[in-house]
Amino acid sequence: MTLIDHNEATAVPVRGKTGDIAAGEVLDKAAAHYAAAWTATGVPASPATIDPEVWPEVARPPSGAKAALAGKVAGLLFKGAVKRLPLRVEYPDGSILGTGGPGAPVMVMLRPASFEARIGDNGLIGLGESFMAGDWEAADLAGVLEVFAASVDTLIPAPLQALRPLYLPRTPRQERNAENNTRSNISRHYDLSNDLFSTFLDSTMSYSSALFPLDGGPLESVGWQALEAAQQAKIDRLLDKAGVGAGTRVLEIGTGWGELALRAAARGATVYSVTLSSEQQELAQERIAVAGYADQVTVALQDYRAVEGEYDAVVSVEMIEAVGYEYWPIYFQTIDRVLAPGGKVAIQAITMPHGRMLATRNAYTWVHKYIFPGGFLPSVRAIEGVAQQHTTLRVRERMGLGDHYAATLRLWEERFLERSPEVGELGFDAVFQRMWLFYLCYSRAGFQSGYLDVQQIVLDRREVQL
């Protein structure tokens, strides 16, 4: 397969999981120049042309009179918003918007018209698609996105925010997390490739926030060598809070790649772990067998709603985000149903402010479209309320570690960039890699800005003394 090189306009071979990329027009000289500089950072520049069958809404911006009008309006709104934000937005004509001084994150606009058409047609989905397409670049992508995340409530004038439900896309019915859809939703992310995830995760294969030691130095500068121990510390704290020890019957909702089950088994517990990812199940079972715990751990390809039995401890790490707003009662009712008398629950959950959660619960976002179909983040208040209204469980303790997630994501991002050639060799093309980078930076920006948090939450059904 071939694409047109940004700088030479000659065909060069490229590997891509998404199929052949047809030849077409070369980017303008300014875009090509910046793309070359961007490639030096480890991120593949977006191809000059993109296969529309593989990336239909990335390959070409929206066109037509309606799209042109929406783009002009979106462009005016965007420029009005960034004029007051602490960043620099540089345009091809030399104009610069934003209040950011030296050291502020810089967003380089390469194709303003395409960028505006995309955000006019699809809002924040268009922001991500325009980066995937190469309409804009940023050497500090997380920094740019952090500025937007910190200002999310004021980017659009209040009167226009009320109109958002009228023009923004809604969640496709096939992506709701009903039992017949959930396996497909999960597989679209977790079944991409175990090898892909291993390129940027540490040896524990933990795909959730780590918990770094307080005496390990500033989280902003913690290094890769600290990640493995920090992931194990996160797991150990959850197991401690759930009272997991010798003889404990543990239910794990969301296996990941098996590290929590391994550490629980090492304590003498028996573990029943459920996942909907066949890739994760396969590797988790391999790791468990190699460690010698196959007799203590069962990894089942099963929906959490179908779990039977009784367990002394239920542990779930960043799985509630995949449950879906309307299914939270069922999630907690299932836990309540299988929890033995005196048992404890320990979950780790990414959370957002309650007001934003309510405002966005019907939204369809870039993350839904490209990363986590059917997902939705709860608020702490929602978790407490659902447990209280629908179960006998009550939240007894919680600890926030959002700054730890920002550090975890930074390390994943750095690792992903370092190993970009290996990702390409696995068959994931430049557009995919830009998508994945946007996802990691988008997530990190949420935690760095405080828009997102992650909580370790302990629940039980302690009896009220009369």
Side-chain angles (χ1 to χ4, degrees):
M1 69 195 82
T2 63
L3 59 78
I4 295 298
D5 180 83
H6 289 279
N7 300 310
E8 301 296 336
T10 56
V12 294
V14 169
R15 290 194 62 179
K17 199 168 191 97
T18 52
D20 291 348
I21 299 174
E25 295 183 0
V26 182
L27 288 174
D28 59 72
K29 290 183 179 180
H33 174 77
Y34 196 88
W38 181 249
T39 303
T41 69
V43 181
S46 184
T49 56
I50 300 167
D51 188 346
E53 292 186 6
V54 175
W55 303 101
E57 276 136 38
V58 179
R60 301 187 186 95
S63 59
K66 182 179 178 182
L69 176 61
K72 288 181 179 179
V73 173
L76 291 172
L77 290 172
F78 176 79
K79 290 175 181 177
V82 298
K83 281 180 180 178
R84 61 180 187 273
L85 297 181
L87 80 169
R88 291 165 56 88
V89 182
E90 300 178 355
Y91 283 83
D93 63 4
S95 60
I96 299 175
L97 299 178
T99 64
V106 178
M107 180 180 188
V108 179
M109 201 66 68
L110 302 178
R111 292 188 289 258
S114 294
F115 169 81
E116 292 169 1
R118 293 180 197 275
I119 63 172
D121 184 65
N122 249 340
L124 291 177
I125 292 178
L127 178 69
E129 290 177 340
S130 62
F131 179 78
M132 293 163 66
D135 294 338
W136 61 278
E137 301 283 9
D140 181 10
L141 180 56
V144 168
L145 295 176
E146 182 181 355
V147 172
F148 291 142
S151 309
V152 68
D153 289 327
T154 59
L155 287 174
I156 303 298
L160 293 179
Q161 289 189 31
L163 301 176
R164 290 173 62 183
L166 299 179
Y167 70 90
L168 290 181
R170 302 294 291 268
T171 302
R173 187 169 185 82
Q174 66 269 23
E175 292 187 9
R176 291 173 60 248
N177 276 318
E179 287 191 62
N180 59 323
N181 294 335
T182 303
R183 174 80 186 277
S184 173
N185 286 345
I186 292 297
S187 67
R188 281 173 56 184
H189 186 85
Y190 293 102
D191 286 345
L192 285 169
S193 163
N194 287 337
D195 291 336
L196 169 67
F197 287 99
S198 70
T199 62
F200 67 93
L201 299 180
D202 67 276
S203 61
T204 69
M205 289 295 286
S206 296
Y207 190 38
S208 50
S209 178
L211 178 59
F212 296 94
L214 295 177
D215 59 356
L219 289 173
E220 296 81 4
S221 58
V222 67
W224 178 262
Q225 71 282 355
L227 184 56
E228 178 181 350
Q231 290 289 11
Q232 292 171 339
K234 170 270 301 294
I235 292 171
D236 289 343
R237 186 180 188 277
L238 287 167
L239 295 178
D240 289 344
K241 293 297 179 181
V244 176
T248 306
R249 299 166 297 172
V250 178
L251 169 65
E252 181 186 23
I253 301 178
T255 306
W257 285 275
E259 184 69 15
L260 188 145
L262 282 168
R263 297 189 74 77
R267 295 181 175 211
T270 56
V271 184
Y272 188 80
S273 184
V274 295
T275 179
L276 289 176
S277 166
S278 55
E279 288 268 324
Q280 287 189 329
Q281 181 195 37
E282 180 181 357
L283 183 54
Q285 288 175 328
E286 288 179 10
R287 296 181 70 211
I288 289 162
V290 168
Y293 296 121
D295 292 340
Q296 290 174 241
V297 181
T298 300
V299 181
L301 198 65
Q302 183 180 31
D303 191 285
Y304 69 92
R305 285 164 283 208
V307 171
E308 299 292 342
E310 185 177 77
Y311 302 90
D312 306 303
V314 178
V315 186
S316 186
V317 181
E318 293 180 27
M319 184 274 174
I320 191 174
E321 301 86 350
V323 168
Y325 177 83
E326 61 192 303
Y327 298 101
W328 290 340
I330 298 174
Y331 173 80
F332 283 105
Q333 286 169 347
T334 300
I335 294 173
D336 194 21
R337 172 172 56 80
V338 301
L339 187 67
K344 290 186 176 182
V345 181
I347 68 172
Q348 185 163 304
I350 302 172
T351 61
M352 67 163 63
H354 191 69
R356 289 299 303 168
M357 187 207 77
L358 293 176
T360 59
R361 66 184 182 272
N362 294 317
Y364 186 63
T365 69
W366 180 88
V367 170
H368 291 130
K369 184 173 181 178
Y370 288 99
I371 307 296
F372 288 114
F376 188 64
L377 304 183
S379 66
V380 170
R381 181 174 163 187
I383 291 173
E384 293 173 336
V386 169
Q388 185 164 357
Q389 294 170 31
H390 298 278
T391 75
T392 63
L393 301 171
R394 298 294 180 267
V395 172
R396 302 302 184 186
E397 179 185 341
R398 61 185 179 88
M399 180 184 75
L401 51 154
D403 291 341
H404 294 256
Y405 218 153
T408 304
L409 283 156
R410 174 180 57 79
L411 294 173
W412 290 346
E413 174 192 334
E414 292 170 357
R415 187 78 161 184
F416 183 74
L417 291 177
E418 290 171 3
R419 305 186 72 175
S420 174
E422 295 173 48
V423 176
E425 289 172 4
L426 291 172
F428 295 96
D429 71 4
V431 179
F432 178 94
Q433 292 189 47
R434 291 173 68 87
M435 176 192 78
W436 204 261
L437 177 69
F438 189 87
Y439 150 60
L440 293 175
C441 292
Y442 181 91
S443 301
R444 177 156 71 97
F447 291 103
Q448 289 181 169
S449 67
Y451 178 75
L452 300 179
D453 198 1
V454 61
Q455 299 273 337
Q456 287 196 348
I457 300 174
V458 181
L459 306 94
D460 65 23
R461 56 167 82 95
R462 191 179 311 157
E463 296 294 335
V464 177
Q465 299 297 322
L466 298 179

